[in-house]
Amino acid sequence: MPSAPSKLYSDDVSLLVVTLDTNPFFWSTFSFPFSEFLSHVLAFLNSILLLSQLNQVVVIATGCNSCTYLYDSSSDKNHGSTTGSMPSLYSDLLHNLEVFLAGDQQLAKPRVNAAGGGAPPPSLLSGSLSMALCYIQRAFRSGPIHPQPRILCLQGSADGPEQYVAIMNSIFSAQHSTVPIDSCYIGSNNSAFLQQASYITGGIYYRPPHLDGLFQYFSTVFATDLHSRAFLRLPKSVGVDFRASCFCHKQTIDMGYVCSVCLSIFCEHHDKCSTCGSVFGQAQSNVPSSTDRKRKA
Amino acid sequence: MSSGKVVKKAKYKATVKDPGTPGILVLTEEKFVFKPNDPTSSNKLEVDFKFIKSHKHTKEGSNKPPWLNLTHSQGSYIFELETFSDLHVCRELVGIALSKHGEAAKVVSEEQLSAAEMGQRIKLLQEDSKLQKLHKELVASGKLTESEFWATKKQLLDRVENRKTKQQIGFKNSLIFDTKPTSDGRINQVKFQLTPEIKYQIFALKPAVHQAFLNFVPSKMSEVDFWNKYFKAEYLHSTKNAVAAAAEAAEDEDLAVFLKDDEILEIEARKKVRRVDPTLDMEADQGDDYTHLPDHGIFRDGTKEISEAQNSLYRRTLLQDLNRQGAVVLEGKTLDIEMENPRAAAEVLARRKQESDGVLEDERHNRISKMTQIEDLQAQDDHRFAPLCIKDPRDYFDSQQVNAVKALDDSQAGMEKIKCSLSSEEAYSFLRDSIYKIKASGLRDPLFSPEVALKVLNELTKNISSTKSHIGKHSQDSVLDILPTSTKEKLLDHWVCSQELLRHFWSSYPITTQNLANKTRRLKDAISQVYSKLEEIKVSAKSDLRHQVSLIVHPMQQALDAALLHYDADIRKRNAKGAKPNGF
């Protein structure tokens, strides 16, 4: 289905890039079954395609070792193997997901053997966001007329602070190309990364409390195209967690040191900025002495 | 002198011219007293040195008698002493006394305000009832002094001052072309009244005269000669005799300068034409211009004159004059120009012209580049950079509101990591099983029940409408309004009051003078008063509102606490250090 020039893209035609969290460690411990989740998502994707003939859906899997494109509604490579009970969208997507999971498992590092109780590895959200943005860039460059792109992150696993810089870079590049990042976070705590992503790019962040009605949330909140959003009152993010991760230990911090040259964030004092190499002056060891010095001056 | 007291015979003079009242001058380090010899005289004086700003005295050997002049804010006291040696003794003591009161005097002088400033403050207080309340609360109760209070309100005062902008006086909108000569009627002579103002105006109106002045005066002719020539030319114009004007011009080339239609004006006109929108076709409009045709255009004197075309150089129409006058009036006048010296005025004017020319040129380039941009001829403008997106700062605070209200424990509690006890094998196979399941059985049918959908919709609606109120865009929904009005008022007052106190408190650190130390002590007392009042409000609140009130009061108390802690720490540190040479 190549984009023929005769296609009339109006302002409410969407290119929806969905990143799907396929972190096995999350799903195997989460109360809401993955199969249920998938049925809601599949129904939602289908309804997006039904909303307009020109709508386009791309699904990207966010694994913990790799990411991949699972489905592209404009691609020719879809098998179209309509088995009795399933539309081709579903069967293709599920088939690709199986292949992806097998590959992802092979990439898994041996450290997972320490199954005793380590925290589950986070999903590679930064990777899937980058892939989504790459896809959208291709759409932007395909010609002057293209569908309105947006990204929807379906995320469940907790944030990986070590991906902070990569995710923030993706967020800013999305902001730069005015691509909103919507996020539907189904985990138990709010995701600071996704909150910031949606806040900065002007997307919607929502954490649905009733997961059995997931489809309803999808269709009410996340199905709205960018044009219609101007007329609708959608959930607004309140209480965005703007905390950053330090560059040295990848920990989420409330307060820290910031390089005055490149704005890198550190949780403790360093002699030299690890990012730009600027040499810092003496740290003020304790507050009283510093005020002392000021008073003497 | 060592006793710090000097008694001398002296005469007190209210002014320099005053012959003086003889009497006794007693000087101490604190004050000086003058007792006239004549007990009925009203010239008794007793003045503290803190009111004295400075002292002057006449020099020995000058032709003036030995005078001691003590200046205060409204004038000065002059004492004429008998000898210069007496003067020296008095002067020394005054010097000591003044240096002693120096610091104090400075503080006092701050308090001494001009009536205008006082009036401004009163007006501000009258206009702003909140400010008045604060002023009453803080100043009247002695927590802050008047000057301390206003020191932080300087901006307000300045704003009042700025409101009365100095209006620039422009040109009089009268045609100065018609500087009428006066004649006494007896002799065959006319007189022109020339003021610097008129000269300047002539320069502005007639660039040719301006140029000529710069060229000729004073190298070629004197200023008087120049103006004589100018008015002669003007006179020829006013005789309505273009032919005569032409004849005169032929004889005297200097005079011709004035009589010729200003070339410079023409150049300027051309410049103006260039300022016109480049897409406007000026030539097409030329047909509408009748003034160049014979029989058109009223001359300044009201006649309609038809003369030979060759003399048209020496004609000026009323329309041209009026236009020129209008243009000059609109251009305005340079401020701070020295009118008295015509040469200087002429130079300033020339300089200003050059500046504005530069600006005009830039403007024109900008205009042309803007106007000539015809879209289909332009190369495709692919924006290499997306426009910078700057968020509304209000947005940020809205999004933070919940974080501020929400206690930290919420985020902390959820932070404990989910322990993963499965191996990767198990986890992946679990996920694969899910996929098999959905492959085998298809999507759930129905996906979910209508009840769930309704629940979700209700919850979403509630969520969206509650965020609206949470964000506090509608003040009627804020927590403060749940409280009874009296409590609310009290809280707001205390808030304003404590903000003001804290501002003063923190601005007085580091403490360098005794004054600041006193001020912080006063402020500390006031702060602890406010603190206890807040505590009272918290306790007196009704049980159902107590939580809300304490939520509001808590951050205020925290801020006050910080100030009190800082005060104590600072005191302790200074005591521990022991006295420093200057005490601080």
Side-chain angles (χ1 to χ4, degrees), chain A residues 22-25 28 63-66 100-108 112, chain B residues 422-435:
Chain A
T22 59
N23 189 334
F25 302 97
S28 53
C64 28
N65 303 305
S66 60
F100 164 73
L101 279 177
D104 196 43
Q105 187 178 6
Q106 285 186 350
L107 289 170
V112 186
Chain B
L422 290 171
S423 74
S424 70
E425 297 287 319
E426 289 167 315
Y428 277 103
S429 68
F430 174 85
L431 216 54
R432 265 198 295 273
D433 283 347
S434 307
I435 297 167

Side-chain angles (χ1 to χ4, degrees), chain A residues 22-29 33-36 38-40 42-43 64-65 85-86 90-91 94-95 97-98 101-102 104-105 108 112 114-120 158-159 175-177 188-190 199-202 206 208-210 212-217 220-221 233-243 288 291-292 294-296, chain B residues 380 384-387 389 391-393 395-403 406 410-432 434-444 447-448 452-457 459-460 463-465 467-468 470-471 473 510-512 566 570 573-574 577 580 584:
Chain A
T22 59
N23 189 334
F25 302 97
F26 167 75
W27 284 112
S28 53
T29 49
F34 185 61
S35 56
E36 287 268 312
L38 262 186
S39 9
H40 284 276
L42 289 175
C64 28
N65 303 305
S85 61
M86 285 250 181
Y90 299 172
S91 51
L94 290 174
H95 171 76
L97 184 58
E98 265 181 298
L101 279 177
D104 196 43
Q105 187 178 6
V112 186
D159 289 338
Q175 181 196 27
H176 200 81
S177 38
S188 45
N189 308 305
N190 279 314
Y199 175 79
I200 292 170
T201 57
Y206 199 74
H210 311 292
D212 44 354
L214 201 57
F215 177 77
Q216 188 64 51
Y217 290 109
T220 321
V221 179
R233 185 182 282 281
L234 293 165
K236 216 176 151 175
S237 40
V238 281
V240 179
D241 185 353
F242 282 114
R243 281 181 303 169
T291 52
D292 215 347
K294 247 186 265 164
R295 276 186 45 227
K296 272 182 203 156
Chain B
Q380 203 183 10
R384 284 180 56 219
F385 302 103
C389 158
K391 280 189 166 273
D392 180 10
D395 217 28
Y396 173 82
F397 290 108
D398 284 353
S399 67
Q400 285 299 291
Q401 180 128 358
V402 172
N403 277 0
K406 170 173 73 183
D410 172 38
S411 58
Q412 232 65 336
M415 265 312 175
E416 95 263 0
K417 297 263 184 212
I418 311 148
K419 292 277 184 270
C420 179
S421 53
L422 290 171
S423 74
S424 70
E425 297 287 319
E426 289 167 315
Y428 277 103
S429 68
F430 174 85
L431 216 54
R432 265 198 295 273
S434 307
I435 297 167
Y436 289 141
K437 203 169 138 198
I438 194 169
K439 264 187 155 175
S441 60
L443 264 59
R444 250 176 75 173
L447 202 52
F448 56 97
V452 174
L454 182 68
K455 202 167 88 183
V456 166
L457 280 176
E459 184 251 296
L460 265 176
N463 175 294
I464 289 167
S465 51
T467 33
K468 198 178 112 204
H470 243 315
I471 279 162
K473 288 221 163 87
I511 295 171
T512 46
H566 183 83
D570 195 64
K573 213 184 312 167
R574 277 195 293 142
K577 282 263 167 63
K580 288 224 185 112
F584 296 97

Side-chain angles (χ1 to χ4, degrees), chain A residues 58-230:
Chain A
V58 176
V59 183
I60 298 170
T62 315
C64 28
N65 303 305
S66 60
C67 300
T68 194
Y69 292 106
L70 286 182
Y71 179 76
D72 181 350
S73 67
S74 68
S75 161
D76 298 327
K77 275 184 259 162
N78 293 335
H79 299 277
S81 55
T82 317
T83 53
S85 61
M86 285 250 181
S88 68
L89 159 66
Y90 299 172
S91 51
D92 284 343
L93 200 151
L94 290 174
H95 171 76
N96 289 338
L97 184 58
E98 265 181 298
V99 175
F100 164 73
L101 279 177
D104 196 43
Q105 187 178 6
Q106 285 186 350
L107 289 170
K109 288 167 208 138
R111 67 164 278 269
V112 186
N113 292 343
S123 308
L124 293 173
L125 179 62
S126 56
S128 57
L129 271 180
S130 308
M131 286 175 90
L133 285 166
C134 288
Y135 192 96
I136 287 167
Q137 277 304 320
R138 205 173 66 187
F140 274 141
R141 290 170 194 195
S142 65
I145 309 164
H146 49 77
Q148 296 286 314
R150 65 178 197 266
I151 299 174
L152 170 61
C153 295
L154 301 176
Q155 196 71 9
S157 51
D159 289 338
E162 64 275 8
Q163 294 175 43
Y164 176 72
V165 178
I167 288 181
M168 288 317 277
N169 281 337
S170 309
I171 292 173
F172 290 130
S173 97
Q175 181 196 27
H176 200 81
S177 38
T178 60
V179 176
I181 301 178
D182 297 334
S183 23
C184 179
Y185 189 74
I186 53 173
S188 45
N189 308 305
N190 279 314
S191 154
F193 286 169
L194 288 178
Q195 277 182 331
Q196 293 186 47
S198 299
Y199 175 79
I200 292 170
T201 57
I204 308 158
Y205 173 90
Y206 199 74
R207 190 163 70 88
H210 311 292
L211 290 180
D212 44 354
L214 201 57
F215 177 77
Q216 188 64 51
Y217 290 109
F218 284 155
S219 54
T220 321
V221 179
F222 297 105
T224 47
D225 60 83
L226 298 187
H227 181 65
S228 319
R229 285 185 190 189

Side-chain angles (χ1 to χ4, degrees), chain A residues 50-66:
Chain A
L50 285 172
L51 272 174
S52 165
Q53 198 184 345
L54 300 176
N55 276 354
Q56 199 182 328
V57 168
V58 176
V59 183
I60 298 170
T62 315
C64 28
N65 303 305
S66 60

Side-chain angles (χ1 to χ4, degrees), chain B residues 301-574:
Chain B
D301 24 49
T303 57
K304 280 194 164 188
E305 187 179 336
I306 312 160
S307 60
E308 292 124 90
Q310 62 189 55
N311 290 334
S312 66
L313 254 179
Y314 303 105
R315 291 184 331 187
R316 287 189 303 225
T317 61
L318 177 62
L319 204 60
Q320 282 168 338
D321 282 353
L322 278 177
N323 274 338
R324 181 69 197 146
Q325 166 86 15
V328 169
V329 168
L330 281 181
E331 250 169 44
K333 199 157 67 168
T334 338
L335 268 185
D336 55 72
I337 189 164
E338 211 191 319
M339 291 285 193
E340 293 312 316
N341 184 357
R343 173 93 204 164
E347 272 162 6
V348 167
L349 198 64
R351 222 176 303 130
R352 199 181 74 163
K353 277 232 175 81
Q354 275 170 10
E355 276 163 26
S356 67
D357 282 357
V359 175
L360 279 183
E361 198 54 29
D362 289 350
E363 216 173 83
R364 181 164 169 271
H365 280 307
N366 280 342
R367 252 189 126 95
I368 288 180
S369 62
K370 243 188 262 165
M371 297 304 301
T372 48
Q373 194 172 39
I374 296 167
E375 265 163 45
D376 26 354
L377 294 182
Q378 295 292 313
Q380 203 183 10
D381 192 12
D382 50 342
H383 290 289
R384 284 180 56 219
F385 302 103
L388 188 61
C389 158
I390 296 173
K391 280 189 166 273
D392 180 10
R394 162 121 208 165
D395 217 28
Y396 173 82
F397 290 108
D398 284 353
S399 67
Q400 285 299 291
Q401 180 128 358
V402 172
N403 277 0
V405 173
K406 170 173 73 183
L408 272 170
D409 55 8
D410 172 38
S411 58
Q412 232 65 336
M415 265 312 175
E416 95 263 0
K417 297 263 184 212
I418 311 148
K419 292 277 184 270
C420 179
S421 53
L422 290 171
S423 74
S424 70
E425 297 287 319
E426 289 167 315
Y428 277 103
S429 68
F430 174 85
L431 216 54
R432 265 198 295 273
D433 283 347
S434 307
I435 297 167
Y436 289 141
K437 203 169 138 198
I438 194 169
K439 264 187 155 175
S441 60
L443 264 59
R444 250 176 75 173
D445 188 26
L447 202 52
F448 56 97
S449 64
E451 287 80 35
V452 174
L454 182 68
K455 202 167 88 183
V456 166
L457 280 176
N458 282 338
E459 184 251 296
L460 265 176
T461 318
K462 213 179 110 204
N463 175 294
I464 289 167
S465 51
S466 78
T467 33
K468 198 178 112 204
S469 69
H470 243 315
I471 279 162
K473 288 221 163 87
H474 302 269
S475 57
Q476 66 264 26
D477 294 338
S478 89
V479 187
L480 266 180
D481 295 286
I482 313 169
L483 306 174
T485 342
S486 62
T487 320
K488 182 182 148 193
E489 289 284 305
K490 250 193 258 168
L491 275 174
L492 284 177
D493 284 349
H494 284 313
W495 187 78
V496 173
C497 186
S498 60
Q499 288 302 307
E500 186 72 24
L501 285 173
L502 286 174
R503 194 177 307 145
H504 279 285
F505 180 82
W506 290 112
S507 67
S508 37
Y509 280 94
I511 295 171
T512 46
T513 64
Q514 188 60 42
N515 267 343
L516 283 176
N518 293 340
K519 186 178 172 185
T520 46
R521 194 174 333 111
R522 257 185 295 132
L523 286 170
K524 191 214 96 182
D525 293 343
I527 285 173
S528 40
Q529 271 176 36
V530 173
Y531 192 93
S532 54
K533 273 185 198 150
L534 285 176
E535 199 64 44
E536 266 171 43
I537 293 179
K538 218 158 90 175
V539 173
S540 66
K542 282 197 206 106
S543 56
D544 51 335
L545 293 174
R546 192 162 295 161
H547 179 63
Q548 310 283 357
V549 172
S550 60
L551 271 185
I552 294 170
V553 169
H554 187 63
M556 292 159 71
Q557 283 189 323
Q558 267 182 335
L560 296 177
D561 262 340
L564 293 176
L565 277 178
H566 183 83
Y567 180 83
D568 288 340
D570 195 64
I571 288 281
R572 217 175 306 127
K573 213 184 312 167
R574 277 195 293 142

Side-chain angles (χ1 to χ4, degrees), chain A residues 245-267:
Chain A
S245 296
C246 67
F247 287 23
C248 42
H249 303 88
K250 317 289 181 202
Q251 283 161 345
T252 310
I253 50 171
D254 289 310
M255 217 182 275
Y257 295 84
V258 176
C259 171
S260 53
V261 177
C262 66
L263 303 181
S264 302
I265 303 159
F266 304 102
C267 61

Side-chain angles (χ1 to χ4, degrees), chain B residues 48-305:
Chain B
D48 269 9
F49 269 116
K50 63 179 177 190
F51 295 118
I52 298 302
K53 280 199 177 140
S54 63
H55 66 112
K56 287 183 276 190
H57 59 94
T58 50
K59 280 213 180 72
E60 196 169 357
S62 69
N63 50 1
K64 288 205 180 114
W67 282 354
L68 178 68
N69 186 339
L70 302 173
T71 330
H72 58 99
S73 55
Q74 266 96 42
S76 57
Y77 305 105
I78 302 169
F79 298 101
E80 186 178 332
L81 294 153
E82 287 192 317
T83 61
F84 272 102
S85 60
D86 281 358
L87 178 65
H88 289 316
V89 173
C90 293
R91 193 175 50 109
E92 226 162 279
L93 187 69
V94 170
I96 293 167
L98 281 185
S99 64
K100 207 170 148 188
H101 286 281
E103 199 179 300
K106 236 187 264 163
V107 175
V108 171
S109 69
E110 269 173 21
E111 295 280 59
Q112 281 169 352
L113 291 161
S114 64
E117 206 172 328
M118 204 65 222
Q120 234 173 47
R121 289 178 181 184
I122 291 169
K123 197 169 150 220
L124 260 180
L125 286 180
Q126 278 167 350
E127 276 170 4
D128 192 344
S129 64
K130 277 199 189 124
L131 195 64
Q132 197 178 9
K133 214 172 186 177
L134 192 65
H135 183 260
K136 211 170 111 190
E137 168 83 26
L138 295 179
V139 181
S141 63
K143 285 172 193 163
L144 285 176
T145 66
E146 182 85 16
S147 60
E148 278 167 0
F149 181 78
W150 287 107
T152 52
K153 302 279 182 277
K154 276 221 171 73
Q155 263 182 322
L156 282 177
L157 288 171
D158 288 348
R159 216 181 302 149
V160 172
E161 209 140 75
N162 286 342
R163 244 182 263 159
K164 357 171 205 168
T165 49
K166 286 164 205 124
Q167 195 169 11
Q168 200 175 323
I169 303 160
F171 284 117
K172 288 185 204 116
N173 202 2
S174 63
L175 278 178
I176 53 94
F177 290 109
D178 300 323
T179 317
K180 285 283 182 239
T182 51
S183 162
D184 51 11
R186 274 172 296 178
I187 43 170
N188 197 10
Q189 199 176 13
V190 287
K191 263 189 192 161
F192 285 93
Q193 286 283 327
L194 266 182
T195 63
E197 172 89 36
I198 293 177
K199 278 181 204 164
Y200 180 73
Q201 227 168 330
I202 290 172
F203 288 150
L205 277 171
K206 299 181 179 180
V209 178
H210 180 211
Q211 196 56 50
F213 186 88
L214 285 177
N215 290 341
F216 297 157
V217 180
S219 59
K220 210 168 158 187
M221 56 178 93
S222 74
E223 209 190 316
V224 178
D225 285 343
F226 179 83
W227 291 116
N228 274 339
K229 272 220 158 58
Y230 168 72
F231 281 110
K232 195 168 174 192
E234 277 299 291
Y235 178 72
L236 284 174
H237 268 299
S238 66
T239 53
K240 307 151 196 159
N241 194 343
V243 185
E248 285 274 343
E251 276 169 33
D252 188 343
E253 60 174 33
D254 292 339
L255 197 63
V257 172
F258 300 131
L259 289 171
K260 251 188 268 168
D261 227 358
D262 283 344
E263 269 168 44
I264 301 170
L265 275 187
E266 232 161 71
I267 294 169
E268 262 184 24
R270 231 172 288 142
K271 261 188 218 151
K272 272 180 202 153
V273 168
R274 289 207 291 177
R275 266 158 79 186
V276 173
D277 195 326
T279 54
L280 184 70
D281 187 354
M282 294 279 285
E283 276 169 33
D285 293 339
Q286 220 152 44
D288 298 339
D289 179 17
Y290 303 110
T291 49
H292 63 283
L293 298 174
D295 267 339
H296 282 284
I298 307 165
F299 287 92
R300 195 171 94 227
D301 24 49
T303 57
K304 280 194 164 188
E305 187 179 336

